[in-house]
Amino acid sequence: MVTVDVALHRQRAERVLPRPRLVIGGKELSDTSGGLYAHTNPATGLVQAEIPLAGPGEVDQAVTAARTAFEVWGGMRPAERRRLLTRFAQLIRDHIPDFAAISPLENGVCVGGWAENVGTHIAEWTEYYAGWADKIEGLVGAGHSPHENVEYTLAEPYGVIGHIITWNSPALSLAMKIPPSLAAGNTVVIKPAESTPFSALLFADLAREAGIPDGVINVVTGLGDAGSALVTHPGVDKISFTGGPATARRIMADAALSLKPVVFELGGKSANLLFADTDLDTVVPYCAAFAMSNTGQGCALPTRLLVERPIYDEVVARVTGVVAHLPVGDPLDPTTYIGPLIDAAARDRVQGVIDKAVKDGAGRLAFGGERIDADGYFVSPTVFADVDNRSDLAQREIFGPVLALTPFDTEDEAIALANDTEYGLSAYIQSRDIARVNRLVPRLKAGTVYVNPGPNPITSPATPFGGVGLSGFGREGGRAGLEEFIHVKGVGVGRV
């Protein structure tokens, strides 16, 4: 049974959650056409806020505001954009505790885990891309004799970018999308998930305080009709979406009507290859705990642990021992590692996957699996061993605290198991053998491969992040993440 301090959650919500509203062209709207969404605290199961929702009309207003602001922001000297973004980043850094305080109430992230780092990540991403704002360059070509023609390129912003933000880590999603868009000179319309609007509102408030002009950042929380209105709006020049493949297909179909470009960061079923030459005392606790971080609600988490057979039985025993000692409970308790899932539907779905796997014999239940008695949306951390690689446990993105272990005998078998999925977001290698690492990295079907990673391997702003296959296309992070929001114009100038 999990016990949650309901009174403390209510007090914190009243104190730290931004007032629900839309932000359009610097104006705040609470009376909206999309109605109200009852925001439920994932840890208590109780409604803690009424969220005004945008309909197509408010989306149109937001796009109009963004287009108007683009004339100012896109025409601004790059050095001035850098100065404003740098000030924005410093304000985010000053408010790191506020982002940390919002997260447990918004989507159940534990204050002692993911939540305590999220504000730092937002600040770092914004600082990184602020530095790019005045370093975007074109090229001079050499296609013709300089006596006949001069050719060069201009790197230009698209205009208005529509950003549809994920619910599992909304603040980090904002950080990965919005700063590069702004650094390139675009303006944005952000559609947060209806279940997680608060981080985006604080983000927009700090941008305005930094002096970023009204209309550059607009926030329109809404349901599917708002998302569709954003994607199909003729005033939106590109769409960036983080979420699941099913929604991505609908977005892509809508965008195809006007051949609008999209960038997708979708799901994953990341394999973690664990070889016998590793230090198990260090590696196993990392592998077990990281797979369970954010209650398993992370697209790049290594939820498949592939283990070399000589150490397999020992690793299974060690993993279950680690998971058994991960505290499950109130996300406001700093000792808690595993909190609630986002809502009742997610809890029921994840528990259903666990129950079906046990019934079907998809793997041997090594730990957990039982239902948790709680008012919030909790699921017991669960470990399956001897998992069939063709089962849902190995093929389906569960998005809950479920870890699947499978043995392998050779490098070729490990690669075959790792790549035997439609996803291709991330992969992990645990080995001290650098020759082996160099052999395996090119063979892994993944947008990013992490080798012997530290505790936070996936959030460096300098490293491109994104997937292949069912995990999407396009990149967030690094220069590649900036270039997603730039188009290149070729110019040829003849001699007069």
Side-chain angles (χ1 to χ4, degrees):
M1 181 174 179
V2 170
T3 301
V4 173
D5 189 336
V6 174
L8 178 59
H9 276 260
R10 185 180 299 112
Q11 293 167 6
R12 290 282 181 87
E14 292 174 353
R15 182 168 59 86
V16 307
L17 292 181
R19 179 173 59 83
R21 64 204 188 279
L22 308 185
V23 179
I24 298 176
K27 297 180 180 179
E28 300 180 345
L29 282 71
S30 298
D31 184 11
T32 60
S33 65
L36 294 172
Y37 173 80
H39 184 276
T40 302
N41 184 318
T44 66
L46 300 175
V47 174
Q48 66 181 356
E50 297 286 342
I51 311 299
L53 299 175
E58 286 84 9
V59 171
D60 179 65
Q61 293 175 41
V63 175
T64 300
R67 293 225 70 86
T68 301
F70 176 65
E71 298 302 316
V72 176
W73 185 253
M76 188 179 289
R77 291 179 62 248
E80 179 65 9
R81 283 203 299 269
R82 172 179 53 79
R83 184 183 68 81
L84 291 172
L85 288 171
T86 299
R87 182 189 296 171
F88 181 28
Q90 184 56 56
L91 284 171
I92 292 171
R93 191 166 289 282
D94 293 342
H95 287 79
I96 285 174
D98 297 319
F99 283 102
I102 286 172
S103 294
L105 302 166
E106 185 169 47
N107 64 346
V109 175
C110 298
V111 294
W114 200 288
E116 69 178 354
N117 296 316
V118 69
T120 300
H121 291 320
I122 303 173
E124 289 175 349
W125 280 74
T126 308
E127 289 162 350
Y128 175 82
Y129 280 111
W132 270 110
D134 58 354
K135 299 173 183 65
I136 300 171
E137 301 170 337
L139 298 172
V140 176
H144 293 274
S145 164
H147 301 293
E148 299 174 354
N149 206 39
V150 176
E151 297 177 347
Y152 63 94
T153 63
L154 293 174
E156 298 182 336
Y158 275 91
V160 176
I161 311 295
H163 290 282
I164 302 177
I165 302 297
T166 182
W167 56 261
N168 67 305
S169 187
L172 183 57
S173 188
L174 287 164
M176 298 172 80
K177 296 176 183 297
I178 309 308
S181 300
L182 300 186
N186 301 284
T187 57
V188 300
V189 178
I190 303 168
K191 194 200 83 66
E194 66 277 9
S195 55
T196 54
F198 300 107
S199 292
L201 291 170
L202 176 57
F203 188 84
D205 289 344
L206 296 178
R208 190 177 194 189
E209 185 178 344
I212 292 176
D214 290 341
V216 172
I217 295 177
N218 305 273
V219 180
V220 286
T221 306
L223 303 175
D225 61 339
S228 180
L230 183 61
V231 173
T232 58
H233 199 291
V236 174
D237 299 290
K238 188 169 184 176
I239 294 293
S240 175
F241 168 70
T242 297
T247 303
R249 291 187 183 98
R250 293 193 295 270
I251 290 173
M252 199 167 187
D254 283 345
L257 296 174
S258 59
L259 299 181
K260 186 172 300 181
V262 296
V263 53
F264 287 155
E265 194 273 280
L266 307 179
K269 194 65 183 178
S270 301
N272 190 356
L273 282 58
L274 176 54
F275 289 89
D277 62 359
T278 57
D279 175 8
L280 298 184
D281 290 339
T282 301
V283 170
V284 171
Y286 161 79
C287 293
F290 186 44
M292 299 287 175
S293 62
N294 202 27
T295 316
Q297 298 173 118
C299 53
L301 295 178
T303 55
R304 290 190 295 151
L305 184 56
L306 310 181
V307 184
E308 197 168 13
R309 196 175 297 277
I311 58 171
Y312 179 72
D313 290 340
E314 181 180 358
V315 169
V316 171
R318 285 177 177 243
V319 165
T320 56
V322 171
V323 173
H325 287 89
L326 296 177
V328 181
D330 190 337
L332 291 183
D333 182 342
T335 66
T336 296
Y337 188 83
I338 296 178
L341 295 175
I342 184 66
D343 55 28
R347 176 199 59 198
D348 295 344
R349 177 184 52 78
V350 173
Q351 189 64 55
V353 170
I354 294 170
D355 294 344
K356 186 176 185 297
V358 172
K359 179 182 178 182
D360 295 347
R364 171 169 58 87
L365 183 62
F367 180 82
E370 70 274 6
R371 296 176 181 266
I372 290 180
D373 181 17
D375 293 326
Y377 311 126
F378 294 87
V379 170
S380 174
T382 300
V383 177
F384 283 93
D386 311 335
V387 172
D388 179 354
N389 207 56
R390 298 308 305 162
S391 68
D392 281 351
L393 283 177
Q395 295 294 322
R396 178 181 176 185
E397 185 180 42
I398 298 172
F399 236 57
V402 181
L403 177 59
L405 282 80
T406 302
F408 66 84
D409 291 298
T410 66
E411 290 181 6
D412 286 346
E413 184 183 7
I415 292 294
L417 290 168
N419 289 344
D420 185 22
T421 171
E422 293 182 286
Y423 294 99
L425 187 56
S426 301
Y428 300 76
I429 300 174
Q430 316 292 333
S431 176
R432 293 173 171 175
D433 186 341
I434 190 62
R436 168 186 285 139
V437 168
N438 288 336
R439 287 193 301 271
L440 297 188
V441 166
R443 299 179 64 191
L444 285 165
K445 185 186 73 174
T448 312
V449 179
Y450 302 99
V451 180
N452 302 323
N456 290 298
I458 62 172
T459 52
S460 167
T463 303
F465 176 73
V468 297
L470 205 60
S471 294
F473 46 83
R475 293 296 179 264
E476 296 177 334
R479 181 169 186 144
L482 180 76
E483 290 173 346
E484 291 290 349
F485 304 112
I486 291 171
H487 67 83
V488 176
K489 177 185 290 181
V491 181
V493 182
R495 296 293 183 179
V496 177

Short mmCIF file of all heavy atoms in Angstrom, two decimals, residues 377-426:
data_model
loop_
_atom_site.label_atom_id
_atom_site.label_comp_id
_atom_site.label_asym_id
_atom_site.label_seq_id
_atom_site.Cartn_x
_atom_site.Cartn_y
_atom_site.Cartn_z
N TYR A 377 -2.05 6.69 -8.89
CA TYR A 377 -1.93 5.78 -10.03
C TYR A 377 -0.61 5.03 -10.00
O TYR A 377 0.27 5.22 -10.85
CB TYR A 377 -2.10 6.57 -11.33
CG TYR A 377 -3.32 7.47 -11.28
CD1 TYR A 377 -3.22 8.83 -11.56
CD2 TYR A 377 -4.57 6.96 -10.94
CE1 TYR A 377 -4.34 9.66 -11.51
CE2 TYR A 377 -5.70 7.77 -10.90
CZ TYR A 377 -5.57 9.12 -11.17
OH TYR A 377 -6.67 9.94 -11.11
N PHE A 378 -0.47 4.15 -9.01
CA PHE A 378 0.79 3.46 -8.77
C PHE A 378 0.77 2.04 -9.33
O PHE A 378 -0.25 1.35 -9.29
CB PHE A 378 1.08 3.40 -7.27
CG PHE A 378 1.34 4.75 -6.66
CD1 PHE A 378 0.30 5.55 -6.20
CD2 PHE A 378 2.64 5.24 -6.55
CE1 PHE A 378 0.53 6.79 -5.64
CE2 PHE A 378 2.89 6.48 -5.99
CZ PHE A 378 1.83 7.25 -5.53
N VAL A 379 1.94 1.62 -9.84
CA VAL A 379 2.16 0.25 -10.29
C VAL A 379 3.46 -0.23 -9.68
O VAL A 379 4.46 0.51 -9.63
CB VAL A 379 2.24 0.17 -11.84
CG1 VAL A 379 2.71 -1.21 -12.29
CG2 VAL A 379 0.89 0.49 -12.46
N SER A 380 3.48 -1.46 -9.22
CA SER A 380 4.67 -2.01 -8.61
C SER A 380 5.80 -2.15 -9.62
O SER A 380 5.57 -2.62 -10.75
CB SER A 380 4.36 -3.39 -8.02
OG SER A 380 5.54 -4.01 -7.55
N PRO A 381 7.04 -1.73 -9.30
CA PRO A 381 8.16 -1.98 -10.20
C PRO A 381 8.31 -3.49 -10.42
O PRO A 381 8.24 -4.27 -9.48
CB PRO A 381 9.36 -1.40 -9.46
CG PRO A 381 8.94 -1.32 -8.03
CD PRO A 381 7.46 -1.09 -8.04
N THR A 382 8.49 -3.87 -11.68
CA THR A 382 8.39 -5.27 -12.06
C THR A 382 9.56 -5.67 -12.95
O THR A 382 9.96 -4.92 -13.85
CB THR A 382 7.06 -5.51 -12.81
OG1 THR A 382 5.96 -5.16 -11.94
CG2 THR A 382 6.91 -6.95 -13.24
N VAL A 383 10.10 -6.87 -12.67
CA VAL A 383 11.21 -7.42 -13.45
C VAL A 383 10.80 -8.78 -14.00
O VAL A 383 10.34 -9.65 -13.25
CB VAL A 383 12.48 -7.57 -12.58
CG1 VAL A 383 13.60 -8.20 -13.39
CG2 VAL A 383 12.91 -6.22 -12.01
N PHE A 384 10.98 -8.94 -15.30
CA PHE A 384 10.78 -10.23 -15.95
C PHE A 384 12.12 -10.74 -16.45
O PHE A 384 12.89 -9.99 -17.07
CB PHE A 384 9.82 -10.11 -17.14
CG PHE A 384 8.37 -10.01 -16.77
CD1 PHE A 384 7.77 -8.78 -16.61
CD2 PHE A 384 7.61 -11.16 -16.59
CE1 PHE A 384 6.42 -8.68 -16.29
CE2 PHE A 384 6.26 -11.07 -16.26
CZ PHE A 384 5.67 -9.84 -16.11
N ALA A 385 12.41 -12.01 -16.21
CA ALA A 385 13.60 -12.67 -16.74
C ALA A 385 13.20 -13.64 -17.85
O ALA A 385 12.01 -13.96 -18.01
CB ALA A 385 14.33 -13.41 -15.62
N ASP A 386 14.20 -14.09 -18.61
CA ASP A 386 13.99 -15.09 -19.67
C ASP A 386 12.89 -14.65 -20.63
O ASP A 386 12.03 -15.43 -21.05
CB ASP A 386 13.62 -16.45 -19.07
CG ASP A 386 14.57 -16.90 -17.96
OD1 ASP A 386 15.73 -16.44 -17.95
OD2 ASP A 386 14.14 -17.68 -17.11
N VAL A 387 12.92 -13.38 -21.02
CA VAL A 387 11.84 -12.81 -21.84
C VAL A 387 12.00 -13.22 -23.30
O VAL A 387 13.09 -13.12 -23.88
CB VAL A 387 11.82 -11.28 -21.71
CG1 VAL A 387 10.84 -10.66 -22.69
CG2 VAL A 387 11.46 -10.88 -20.28
N ASP A 388 10.92 -13.68 -23.87
CA ASP A 388 10.85 -14.01 -25.29
C ASP A 388 10.95 -12.71 -26.09
O ASP A 388 10.13 -11.80 -25.92
CB ASP A 388 9.54 -14.72 -25.58
CG ASP A 388 9.37 -15.08 -27.05
OD1 ASP A 388 10.21 -14.69 -27.88
OD2 ASP A 388 8.36 -15.74 -27.37
N ASN A 389 11.93 -12.60 -26.97
CA ASN A 389 12.15 -11.35 -27.68
C ASN A 389 11.05 -11.00 -28.67
O ASN A 389 10.99 -9.87 -29.16
CB ASN A 389 13.50 -11.38 -28.41
CG ASN A 389 14.08 -9.98 -28.60
OD1 ASN A 389 14.26 -9.26 -27.61
ND2 ASN A 389 14.37 -9.60 -29.82
N ARG A 390 10.15 -11.93 -28.97
CA ARG A 390 9.04 -11.63 -29.85
C ARG A 390 7.78 -11.27 -29.07
O ARG A 390 6.75 -10.97 -29.66
CB ARG A 390 8.72 -12.83 -30.77
CG ARG A 390 9.86 -13.22 -31.69
CD ARG A 390 10.39 -12.03 -32.48
NE ARG A 390 9.34 -11.35 -33.23
CZ ARG A 390 9.42 -10.12 -33.71
NH1 ARG A 390 10.50 -9.39 -33.48
NH2 ARG A 390 8.43 -9.58 -34.38
N SER A 391 7.84 -11.29 -27.76
CA SER A 391 6.67 -10.98 -26.94
C SER A 391 6.46 -9.48 -26.83
O SER A 391 7.35 -8.68 -27.16
CB SER A 391 6.85 -11.57 -25.54
OG SER A 391 7.90 -10.88 -24.85
N ASP A 392 5.28 -9.09 -26.34
CA ASP A 392 5.00 -7.67 -26.12
C ASP A 392 5.98 -7.06 -25.13
O ASP A 392 6.30 -5.87 -25.22
CB ASP A 392 3.57 -7.49 -25.60
CG ASP A 392 2.53 -7.58 -26.71
OD1 ASP A 392 2.93 -7.61 -27.89
OD2 ASP A 392 1.33 -7.63 -26.39
N LEU A 393 6.45 -7.84 -24.16
CA LEU A 393 7.40 -7.31 -23.18
C LEU A 393 8.66 -6.79 -23.85
O LEU A 393 9.26 -5.83 -23.38
CB LEU A 393 7.78 -8.40 -22.18
CG LEU A 393 6.78 -8.74 -21.08
CD1 LEU A 393 7.31 -9.88 -20.23
CD2 LEU A 393 6.50 -7.52 -20.21
N ALA A 394 9.06 -7.43 -24.95
CA ALA A 394 10.27 -7.03 -25.64
C ALA A 394 10.01 -6.11 -26.83
O ALA A 394 10.91 -5.40 -27.26
CB ALA A 394 11.02 -8.28 -26.12
N GLN A 395 8.79 -6.12 -27.35
CA GLN A 395 8.50 -5.38 -28.57
C GLN A 395 7.69 -4.11 -28.36
O GLN A 395 7.75 -3.19 -29.17
CB GLN A 395 7.73 -6.29 -29.54
CG GLN A 395 8.52 -7.47 -30.04
CD GLN A 395 9.69 -7.07 -30.92
OE1 GLN A 395 9.60 -6.13 -31.71
NE2 GLN A 395 10.81 -7.76 -30.77
N ARG A 396 6.94 -4.04 -27.28
CA ARG A 396 6.00 -2.94 -27.07
C ARG A 396 6.56 -1.94 -26.06
O ARG A 396 7.13 -2.32 -25.04
CB ARG A 396 4.68 -3.52 -26.55
CG ARG A 396 3.61 -2.51 -26.22
CD ARG A 396 2.38 -3.24 -25.70
NE ARG A 396 1.32 -2.33 -25.27
CZ ARG A 396 0.20 -2.71 -24.70
NH1 ARG A 396 -0.03 -4.00 -24.50
NH2 ARG A 396 -0.71 -1.84 -24.33
N GLU A 397 6.40 -0.65 -26.37
CA GLU A 397 6.80 0.38 -25.41
C GLU A 397 5.75 0.42 -24.30
O GLU A 397 4.63 0.87 -24.50
CB GLU A 397 6.91 1.74 -26.09
CG GLU A 397 7.45 2.82 -25.16
CD GLU A 397 7.56 4.17 -25.83
OE1 GLU A 397 6.64 4.54 -26.57
OE2 GLU A 397 8.57 4.86 -25.59
N ILE A 398 6.13 -0.04 -23.11
CA ILE A 398 5.18 -0.18 -22.02
C ILE A 398 4.95 1.14 -21.31
O ILE A 398 3.85 1.45 -20.86
CB ILE A 398 5.67 -1.27 -21.03
CG1 ILE A 398 5.77 -2.61 -21.76
CG2 ILE A 398 4.73 -1.37 -19.83
CD1 ILE A 398 6.42 -3.70 -20.95
N PHE A 399 5.98 1.96 -21.19
CA PHE A 399 5.91 3.26 -20.52
C PHE A 399 5.45 3.10 -19.07
O PHE A 399 4.54 3.79 -18.60
CB PHE A 399 4.99 4.22 -21.28
CG PHE A 399 5.69 5.51 -21.66
CD1 PHE A 399 6.85 5.48 -22.42
CD2 PHE A 399 5.21 6.74 -21.25
CE1 PHE A 399 7.50 6.65 -22.77
CE2 PHE A 399 5.85 7.92 -21.59
CZ PHE A 399 7.01 7.87 -22.36
N GLY A 400 6.11 2.21 -18.39
CA GLY A 400 5.87 1.97 -16.98
C GLY A 400 7.08 1.28 -16.38
O GLY A 400 8.03 0.95 -17.10
N PRO A 401 7.08 1.03 -15.08
CA PRO A 401 8.27 0.49 -14.40
C PRO A 401 8.41 -1.01 -14.61
O PRO A 401 8.26 -1.80 -13.67
CB PRO A 401 8.01 0.84 -12.94
CG PRO A 401 6.52 0.81 -12.81
CD PRO A 401 5.99 1.32 -14.12
N VAL A 402 8.70 -1.41 -15.84
CA VAL A 402 8.81 -2.83 -16.20
C VAL A 402 10.12 -3.04 -16.95
O VAL A 402 10.36 -2.40 -17.98
CB VAL A 402 7.62 -3.29 -17.07
CG1 VAL A 402 7.75 -4.77 -17.39
CG2 VAL A 402 6.30 -2.99 -16.37
N LEU A 403 10.94 -3.95 -16.45
CA LEU A 403 12.24 -4.24 -17.05
C LEU A 403 12.27 -5.70 -17.50
O LEU A 403 11.90 -6.59 -16.75
CB LEU A 403 13.36 -3.98 -16.03
CG LEU A 403 14.79 -4.31 -16.46
CD1 LEU A 403 15.19 -3.50 -17.69
CD2 LEU A 403 15.77 -4.03 -15.31
N ALA A 404 12.71 -5.92 -18.75
CA ALA A 404 12.75 -7.26 -19.34
C ALA A 404 14.20 -7.69 -19.55
O ALA A 404 14.98 -6.97 -20.17
CB ALA A 404 12.01 -7.26 -20.67
N LEU A 405 14.56 -8.87 -19.03
CA LEU A 405 15.91 -9.41 -19.16
C LEU A 405 15.91 -10.63 -20.08
O LEU A 405 15.04 -11.50 -19.97
CB LEU A 405 16.49 -9.81 -17.81
CG LEU A 405 17.01 -8.68 -16.91
CD1 LEU A 405 15.86 -8.00 -16.19
CD2 LEU A 405 18.03 -9.20 -15.92
N THR A 406 16.92 -10.68 -20.97
CA THR A 406 17.08 -11.78 -21.91
C THR A 406 18.56 -12.11 -22.03
O THR A 406 19.38 -11.19 -22.16
CB THR A 406 16.52 -11.40 -23.29
OG1 THR A 406 15.14 -11.06 -23.16
CG2 THR A 406 16.67 -12.54 -24.28
N PRO A 407 18.94 -13.40 -22.03
CA PRO A 407 20.35 -13.76 -22.17
C PRO A 407 20.78 -13.82 -23.64
O PRO A 407 19.95 -14.00 -24.54
CB PRO A 407 20.42 -15.14 -21.53
CG PRO A 407 19.07 -15.73 -21.79
CD PRO A 407 18.10 -14.59 -21.74
N PHE A 408 22.09 -13.69 -23.86
CA PHE A 408 22.65 -13.91 -25.20
C PHE A 408 24.00 -14.60 -25.04
O PHE A 408 24.64 -14.54 -23.98
CB PHE A 408 22.79 -12.61 -25.99
CG PHE A 408 23.79 -11.63 -25.43
CD1 PHE A 408 25.16 -11.73 -25.73
CD2 PHE A 408 23.39 -10.58 -24.61
CE1 PHE A 408 26.07 -10.82 -25.22
CE2 PHE A 408 24.30 -9.67 -24.09
CZ PHE A 408 25.65 -9.79 -24.39
N ASP A 409 24.44 -15.24 -26.13
CA ASP A 409 25.70 -15.99 -26.10
C ASP A 409 26.82 -15.32 -26.87
O ASP A 409 27.98 -15.43 -26.50
CB ASP A 409 25.48 -17.40 -26.66
CG ASP A 409 24.63 -18.26 -25.75
OD1 ASP A 409 25.06 -18.50 -24.60
OD2 ASP A 409 23.54 -18.67 -26.16
N THR A 410 26.50 -14.63 -27.96
CA THR A 410 27.52 -14.04 -28.81
C THR A 410 27.18 -12.59 -29.13
O THR A 410 26.03 -12.15 -28.95
CB THR A 410 27.64 -14.81 -30.14
OG1 THR A 410 26.42 -14.64 -30.89
CG2 THR A 410 27.90 -16.29 -29.89
N GLU A 411 28.17 -11.87 -29.64
CA GLU A 411 27.93 -10.50 -30.06
C GLU A 411 26.87 -10.44 -31.16
O GLU A 411 25.99 -9.57 -31.15
CB GLU A 411 29.22 -9.85 -30.55
CG GLU A 411 30.23 -9.56 -29.47
CD GLU A 411 31.48 -8.90 -30.03
OE1 GLU A 411 31.50 -8.55 -31.24
OE2 GLU A 411 32.45 -8.71 -29.26
N ASP A 412 26.97 -11.37 -32.10
CA ASP A 412 25.99 -11.38 -33.19
C ASP A 412 24.57 -11.57 -32.66
O ASP A 412 23.63 -10.93 -33.14
CB ASP A 412 26.33 -12.50 -34.18
CG ASP A 412 27.54 -12.16 -35.04
OD1 ASP A 412 27.95 -10.98 -35.07
OD2 ASP A 412 28.08 -13.08 -35.70
N GLU A 413 24.42 -12.45 -31.67
CA GLU A 413 23.09 -12.67 -31.11
C GLU A 413 22.61 -11.43 -30.37
O GLU A 413 21.42 -11.05 -30.45
CB GLU A 413 23.10 -13.87 -30.17
CG GLU A 413 21.71 -14.21 -29.63
CD GLU A 413 21.71 -15.36 -28.63
OE1 GLU A 413 22.80 -15.82 -28.25
OE2 GLU A 413 20.61 -15.78 -28.22
N ALA A 414 23.50 -10.77 -29.64
CA ALA A 414 23.13 -9.55 -28.93
C ALA A 414 22.64 -8.48 -29.89
O ALA A 414 21.62 -7.81 -29.64
CB ALA A 414 24.31 -9.04 -28.11
N ILE A 415 23.35 -8.30 -31.01
CA ILE A 415 22.94 -7.31 -32.00
C ILE A 415 21.61 -7.68 -32.62
O ILE A 415 20.72 -6.83 -32.80
CB ILE A 415 24.02 -7.16 -33.08
CG1 ILE A 415 25.28 -6.52 -32.49
CG2 ILE A 415 23.50 -6.35 -34.25
CD1 ILE A 415 25.10 -5.09 -32.04
N ALA A 416 21.44 -8.97 -32.92
CA ALA A 416 20.18 -9.41 -33.52
C ALA A 416 19.01 -9.15 -32.59
O ALA A 416 17.94 -8.69 -33.02
CB ALA A 416 20.27 -10.88 -33.89
N LEU A 417 19.18 -9.45 -31.31
CA LEU A 417 18.12 -9.21 -30.33
C LEU A 417 17.83 -7.72 -30.19
O LEU A 417 16.68 -7.28 -30.14
CB LEU A 417 18.50 -9.80 -28.97
CG LEU A 417 18.54 -11.32 -28.86
CD1 LEU A 417 19.21 -11.74 -27.55
CD2 LEU A 417 17.12 -11.90 -28.94
N ALA A 418 18.90 -6.92 -30.09
CA ALA A 418 18.74 -5.47 -29.91
C ALA A 418 18.01 -4.84 -31.07
O ALA A 418 17.14 -3.97 -30.89
CB ALA A 418 20.10 -4.82 -29.71
N ASN A 419 18.33 -5.28 -32.29
CA ASN A 419 17.75 -4.67 -33.49
C ASN A 419 16.40 -5.25 -33.89
O ASN A 419 15.75 -4.73 -34.80
CB ASN A 419 18.72 -4.80 -34.66
CG ASN A 419 19.96 -3.92 -34.51
OD1 ASN A 419 19.97 -2.99 -33.70
ND2 ASN A 419 20.98 -4.22 -35.28
N ASP A 420 15.98 -6.30 -33.22
CA ASP A 420 14.75 -6.98 -33.59
C ASP A 420 13.54 -6.27 -32.99
O ASP A 420 12.81 -6.80 -32.15
CB ASP A 420 14.79 -8.43 -33.12
CG ASP A 420 13.57 -9.22 -33.59
OD1 ASP A 420 12.94 -8.79 -34.58
OD2 ASP A 420 13.25 -10.25 -32.97
N THR A 421 13.33 -5.04 -33.41
CA THR A 421 12.20 -4.22 -32.97
C THR A 421 11.98 -3.14 -34.01
O THR A 421 12.92 -2.76 -34.74
CB THR A 421 12.46 -3.59 -31.59
OG1 THR A 421 11.44 -2.63 -31.30
CG2 THR A 421 13.80 -2.87 -31.55
N GLU A 422 10.77 -2.62 -34.10
CA GLU A 422 10.48 -1.55 -35.04
C GLU A 422 11.06 -0.21 -34.58
O GLU A 422 11.18 0.72 -35.38
CB GLU A 422 8.97 -1.41 -35.23
CG GLU A 422 8.30 -2.58 -35.91
CD GLU A 422 6.81 -2.35 -36.09
OE1 GLU A 422 6.07 -2.42 -35.09
OE2 GLU A 422 6.40 -2.08 -37.24
N TYR A 423 11.38 -0.10 -33.30
CA TYR A 423 11.91 1.15 -32.76
C TYR A 423 13.41 1.28 -33.02
O TYR A 423 14.09 0.29 -33.28
CB TYR A 423 11.64 1.23 -31.27
CG TYR A 423 10.18 1.33 -30.89
CD1 TYR A 423 9.46 0.22 -30.49
CD2 TYR A 423 9.52 2.56 -30.94
CE1 TYR A 423 8.13 0.30 -30.14
CE2 TYR A 423 8.19 2.66 -30.59
CZ TYR A 423 7.49 1.54 -30.19
OH TYR A 423 6.16 1.64 -29.85
N GLY A 424 13.90 2.51 -32.88
CA GLY A 424 15.33 2.73 -33.03
C GLY A 424 15.75 4.05 -32.43
O GLY A 424 16.38 4.88 -33.10
N LEU A 425 15.39 4.28 -31.18
CA LEU A 425 15.71 5.56 -30.55
C LEU A 425 17.10 5.55 -29.92
O LEU A 425 17.98 6.30 -30.32
CB LEU A 425 14.66 5.92 -29.50
CG LEU A 425 14.77 7.32 -28.88
CD1 LEU A 425 14.76 8.40 -29.96
CD2 LEU A 425 13.65 7.56 -27.88
N SER A 426 17.29 4.68 -28.92
CA SER A 426 18.57 4.64 -28.22
C SER A 426 19.00 3.19 -28.03
O SER A 426 18.19 2.27 -28.07
CB SER A 426 18.46 5.31 -26.84
OG SER A 426 18.07 6.67 -26.97
#
